[in-house]
Structure formats: C-alpha cells, structure tokens
Amino acid sequence: MSSYRLENTWSPEPAPFGTLKVTLWNLSETPLSDFRLAYTSLTRAMKPFTVSGAELELRDANYHRYAPPADLVVAPGESWSFEVTNLNRDPRHITDGAKSAILTLDPAGAKTHVEVEVSDLYPEGRELVEPGPLLPEGKLTEPYAILPWPAALELEAGETPLALCPAPGASREALAAFSQVEALHRRLYPEARTVLSMVPMPGTRAVAIEMGGDFAEGAYALEIAEVITLKAADDDGIRHGLIVLAQMLHGATVDAASFRFPASGTITDAPRYGWRGSHLDVSRQFWDAADVTRFLDILAWHRMNIFHWHLTDDEGWRMEVKAYPQLTEAGATRGPDALLTPQLGNGVDEVHGHYTQDQIRDVVAHAGALGITVVPEVDIPGHCTAALAVIPELADPQEAPESYHSVQGFANNALNPAREETYDFLAKLFDEMVELFPAKYLHIGGDEVADGSWLNSHYARLLMEKEGLSGTFELQSYFMRRVAGMLAERGRVLAGWNEVAHGGGVDPEGTLLMAWEKPEVGIELAKEGYDVVMTPGQAYYLDMAQAEEWLEPGAAWAGTSTPVHSYTYEAEGEFPEELRPRLKGIQACIWCEHFTSRAYFNRLVFPRLCGVAEAAWTPKERKDLHRYAAIVKLHPAF
C-alpha cells in the first residue's frame, strides 16, 4: 500500500472547461518536503499554464510534473492542494482524470520515485448515477446460438448431440479443419465441454465436408440431417461452417434452457462485406503476443477476417526493426527516467514492450491459419514522437522546439517530409515489413498531422518553394505520394486514415482509406475515387464511452456510442448506389488510452465488437437487436 494518495475533482467554473483540483495526501509517518508530483491525465493543462498553488514544470502530452511552493512541508496525515485551469477540454467521464501519479523525493539529488495511489475523477456538486443496462434483455425467436447471424436459415430444433465428428472417409483436409475449429473452441472456452470430436462415439453426429461448387469467397451451406453436410468452395467457407456448428452446439450445452441444436434444415450463408476488420492499438498500452493471438481467436470465432495492427505511435514503437534496434531498445520504454515520459497510467516502474520479428511471424501465421489477414500500421508522418526520440535526424534540427503540437499534446511529432533521411529510414523499414507481412496493404497512418507542422523548418520551406507547395497539408500530400511510390516498388498498396486525402491526396486508384472522423467523410472519399472502409468514431470506436453518465468509463470526443448504436448503425448510410462498390467493408477500432486494465478492455470492447462483427457479416434485413442481445451473452472475453 502506498503512503501517498492523490485525489482529483473537477468544477465546471470558470468556463469553458472549468478547474481541476488536485490534492496529495501524506499518509506516511514522516513529513513530506523537497519533492515533485507528477501525474498522467488525458485532461491536460494548456499553455499559458494557469496553476494556483504549484508550478507546472513540465507537460509532455498527458504527463504533468509539478513543483510545490518553496519550503512547503506536508505533515503526516495532512494534504496539499493546487488548482489547474485552462484545460484542453471539459471532463465528461470518470476516467478523464489522473490515471497514475508519481512522487519524486529529493529531485535535485538522488531522486527516489514513489508510487502514489490515485482516485477516480469526481465532479463537484453533481449527482452521480450508475449507468443503466446497455442492451435490452434479449429475445429469441429461433433457439440457435449463431453470431453473426446467417443470411438464410430454416431449421427444426432437435436433441443436443454429445459432439460432432467427421463422417467416415473424411479427407486429411477435412480432419485438419475439424481439429483446427475444436482447438479454437477449446482456447476460447477452456472450461466448456468438447463440441467437435475426431472420434465417433455414441451420441455424436457426423459431418461430411464437400469442397467445391458455386460459392462466393467465404460462403458455405449446411444441410442438416442425420448426417450433416457442409459445402463450400474454399477453406474459409469450411471454417465458417464448422464455427457455426460449434457455436450452436456450444450454446446448446452451456445454456440448454435458451438454445438448441438443429435436427434438420438448412443454412445458406455468405459474408456481407469482404473487409470485416478490427484494429488494435498496442502502442498506448502494450498487449503481448499471447494477448494478440487470443484476440485473433475472438475475431475468428465471429468470422472477422482483418486484423489491423497499430504498431507505432507517439507513445511507443512496438515492432523490431533490425536496421534500427534503437526503436525498440529505447523507443518502446516509458518511465520517470526513460527517454519517453510516463503516459496513460504509467507509474514508478518503467514499462517496456515490443514484438520480435519471430513473434510477429508467429502472430501472422496464427492469423493466416484462421483466415485472418494482418494489416500492419506504422503511423507516419505524424504520431512519431517515439521514433524521433531515438532517430532525431528524421526532423529538422533547426526547427524551434514546440513549433507545433498534435491534438494529443505532443510537440514536433512528425517526420520531416523535406529530409532525404526520412525516406532512407522508410525504405529500410518497408523492406523489413514486406518480409514480415504478406498482406496486400500496408497501412501508413497519415492521420492528425497538426496544421502548422514543418512551417518553421528551413528544409520544408525550401521544398515548398521548389515544388510549389503551400502549407502543411500539401507538404503531407507530397510525402504521401512518395510513400505510395515506395510501397508500389515493393509490391504493396497504401492504406491509411482519411486524412491521406488532404492537400491533394494520393492517386485514388487502388488506395484504401478508412473514414473515421464522421460517416460523411466516407462518402466524400468514395466520390474522389478512393476505396473506403467505414470505421466512424461515432459507432465503431470501441474506446468511446457507452453511456452519458459520469460513472461510465471511456472517451467522449465522438459522443456516446452505445452497444445498441454500434449494432444498429448502417455503414452504407446515405451512400449513393453508384458509390456502393467503393465501400469495401467496416472495421472496429480499439484505441487503448483508457484501457489501463483488462477489466476496462472487456467492459468497453464487449459486446460492441460482436455487434460490429454481425454488422459486417449479416444482411441488414436479417439483423435483429433482441436476438443479438440474447446470443451475445455467450461471447468469450479477452
């Protein structure tokens, strides 16, 4: 137990964003003096810093370090408070305050860092109400535990078999598919009984697998009789059909009062979209390789086929690059005395995390075996604080410090597009990435470059004059066009966030952009000729708070995204019919600023991820919120 505790409260006055009040309690047996207090908080102090009762010595993104008044002594059992105004925004949820705090004793000498317990953020003078149910109770009209729901289904319920087994004479490929799906079920539900068995026994039912026929990619058909027949034209279709059978039998065994297994009937099914994805940010909070493979299993269970792996950002570089070992030696570590400051809940202990290339190969192989394509992302030219900290020559050394700040508060965080060192770095990086990731697309980010970036760079001004460029976004477009060419030389296609189209963009032919800022952006991109994946923050960002109440955790910049909205939202929206072919699919995004615990991850990601999966697979007219609410209770947790 810590001997120190930080409490933080918020008052809405003065407008527009109110006052954050911070109180440090000394619960030790000795007086506290000669110290510094630091905390991490997404509610940030902004310049000019307005602090009463302390001095803000350093603010690096959401890391704040304060000095107390000279000669302050906090006696045992007493506290010290200060107030911060000129905030970046008004807090809206309990997780908007301090996530961690660090006390540094004798800051000018030996420097001892001490952990500080941190309270949740509470608003002054506001009644706090617990959020209500996030989904309706759920109602089944057909007792089958299938998620996503199939395109067409006509079944008669029957007795629950002991297990399903391959029909006599099954091919090696069919046996391997059986084994794979049973292993997937066992990993996701280790406490549940086996639903697929390789050996016929009394009470089992046989499944015959027929490969071939006129099926779309990933489609399958099930003919259910005494012997179940599964038909598909590809491995994905076979896997999807077996997963559906496994889901139905799992539901019937763990909740026999609600779910049954069919005695007869048919299922005819195909995915609605070709891109059924989920993104995972491993930079803000690191998830090790075992966690990532667990997440891939969950995607496969819901018949999702794209894993967008967000491997780099301001807060950390997570992918081993042989040509630049410093990226993961120092650029993947945060701590009070590290090159990168603590962020997003980090405390006294340094936190480090990256994937070796062998681990990346293992993850990619695991995904491939489950029919999932791994699309890697290195976020450039912005969001590069970690890279620039260890390779400073990728910036202009003459550019004044803090010439610009990103929306997250990082100073001068973008690779300089006017330095050839930048493209030399990217060439070596891309060479290694194409060896690790066989996917067609390589995602290069392109988002949230601050307006004003590079305008104080001598190199950038010379480039602008030479190329006839004006402003940050035409510079960014120049950079993106060069990057697109570099990827094409390596047999890859550029994917990025919707801001890649800013400043003139890149050649739309073959480029894939993700519309995240708001739904209307996707239509505009399609009009410009880009292929589009819809991932609007208002529906598919799973870090958004799920209710308006203060006690509901999560982010708020895109409003409230309830599980009902994530499920019922239709990405096609107002897409004109002639632009529909540009819409390649939909994707959930999991940004991890708020996921300081696995419990928060599970609370915010589920059940919304399952709802996005059904929206990606199931035809609009076949979706049913109450059926979904009844079935989604069976989802495996992360």
Side-chain angles (χ1 to χ4, degrees), residues 523-575:
I523 298 173
E524 293 304 313
L525 292 173
K527 287 179 179 177
E528 294 173 24
Y530 291 103
D531 287 341
V532 178
V533 170
M534 291 293 284
T535 180
Q538 294 77 9
Y540 293 161
Y541 269 40
L542 306 188
D543 59 315
M544 290 296 118
Q546 300 178 92
E548 296 283 352
E549 285 83 1
W550 184 274
L551 294 177
E552 180 66 19
W557 68 262
T560 299
S561 181
T562 67
V564 171
H565 182 57
S566 294
Y567 179 81
T568 58
Y569 173 73
E570 275 296 310
E572 292 183 5
E574 302 300 319
F575 260 78

Side-chain angles (χ1 to χ4, degrees), residues 300-628:
W301 188 247
H302 294 91
R303 284 173 273 153
M304 302 179 86
N305 67 340
I306 300 291
F307 174 52
H308 174 174
W309 203 0
H310 186 85
L311 288 161
T312 74
D313 216 298
D314 292 301
E315 294 87 349
W317 186 285
R318 304 304 186 187
M319 175 180 61
E320 179 189 19
V321 181
K322 300 288 189 182
Y324 298 98
Q326 64 269 46
L327 285 168
T328 48
E329 288 170 355
T333 302
R334 303 195 297 251
D337 299 314
L339 191 60
L340 300 179
T341 57
Q343 300 287 337
L344 304 166
N346 300 149
V348 167
D349 296 330
E350 283 192 350
V351 293
H352 175 89
H354 78 276
Y355 309 101
T356 67
Q357 292 198 355
D358 284 343
Q359 288 175 318
I360 289 171
R361 291 186 186 95
D362 289 344
V363 168
V364 171
H366 186 85
L370 295 171
I372 297 171
T373 298
V374 178
V375 176
E377 179 185 355
V378 288
D379 203 347
I380 54 175
H383 288 278
C384 279
T385 296
L388 290 167
V390 297
I391 313 177
E393 56 267 30
L394 304 180
D396 184 346
Q398 300 177 27
E399 192 170 14
E402 303 200 32
S403 295
Y404 58 91
H405 287 83
S406 73
V407 67
Q408 288 83 13
F410 288 95
N412 295 25
N413 72 330
L415 306 181
N416 194 298
R419 302 206 70 184
E420 284 306 307
E421 291 91 338
T422 294
Y423 303 100
D424 294 341
F425 163 74
L426 292 176
K428 294 175 183 176
L429 171 63
F430 294 155
D431 284 343
E432 296 193 28
M433 291 186 72
V434 298
E435 293 298 319
L436 293 170
F437 299 100
K440 169 184 176 182
Y441 292 104
L442 198 156
H443 200 294
I444 49 70
D447 62 315
E448 296 183 326
V449 173
D451 195 2
S453 298
W454 311 306
L455 299 187
N456 289 310
S457 164
H458 172 69
Y459 293 96
R461 289 196 298 269
L462 290 177
L463 178 63
M464 291 166 69
E465 182 178 347
K466 177 184 176 183
E467 299 290 337
L469 304 174
S470 175
T472 293
F473 299 117
E474 289 191 11
L475 276 169
Q476 178 180 334
S477 183
Y478 167 88
F479 171 84
M480 288 297 172
R481 287 193 294 270
R482 287 194 62 173
V483 167
M486 295 171 72
L487 295 180
E489 290 171 0
R490 292 161 174 81
R492 297 295 187 269
V493 176
L494 185 150
W497 303 107
N498 55 245
E499 295 99 318
V500 168
H502 289 180
V506 300
D507 183 359
E509 185 62 35
T511 300
L512 182 74
L513 298 186
M514 296 180 176
W516 68 273
E517 290 181 284
K518 55 184 178 179
E520 296 81 1
V521 169
I523 298 173
E524 293 304 313
L525 292 173
K527 287 179 179 177
E528 294 173 24
Y530 291 103
D531 287 341
V532 178
V533 170
M534 291 293 284
T535 180
Q538 294 77 9
Y540 293 161
Y541 269 40
L542 306 188
D543 59 315
M544 290 296 118
Q546 300 178 92
E548 296 283 352
E549 285 83 1
W550 184 274
L551 294 177
E552 180 66 19
W557 68 262
T560 299
S561 181
T562 67
V564 171
H565 182 57
S566 294
Y567 179 81
T568 58
Y569 173 73
E570 275 296 310
E572 292 183 5
E574 302 300 319
F575 260 78
E577 192 67 35
E578 66 273 15
L579 294 180
R580 295 275 172 91
R582 292 285 180 196
L583 177 56
K584 299 306 178 183
I586 67 175
Q587 177 173 293
C589 283
I590 302 173
W591 299 100
C592 288
E593 285 93 337
H594 289 283
F595 295 142
T596 53
S597 70
R598 193 173 296 265
Y600 269 149
F601 187 99
N602 280 320
R603 176 169 175 168
L604 284 161
V605 170
F606 301 106
R608 290 186 293 183
L609 179 64
C610 312
V612 177
E614 184 148 305
W617 182 281
T618 306
K620 176 182 178 181
E621 63 275 10
R622 296 286 287 165
K623 291 166 66 178
D624 182 312
L625 175 64
H626 293 278
R627 180 197 65 226
Y628 164 74

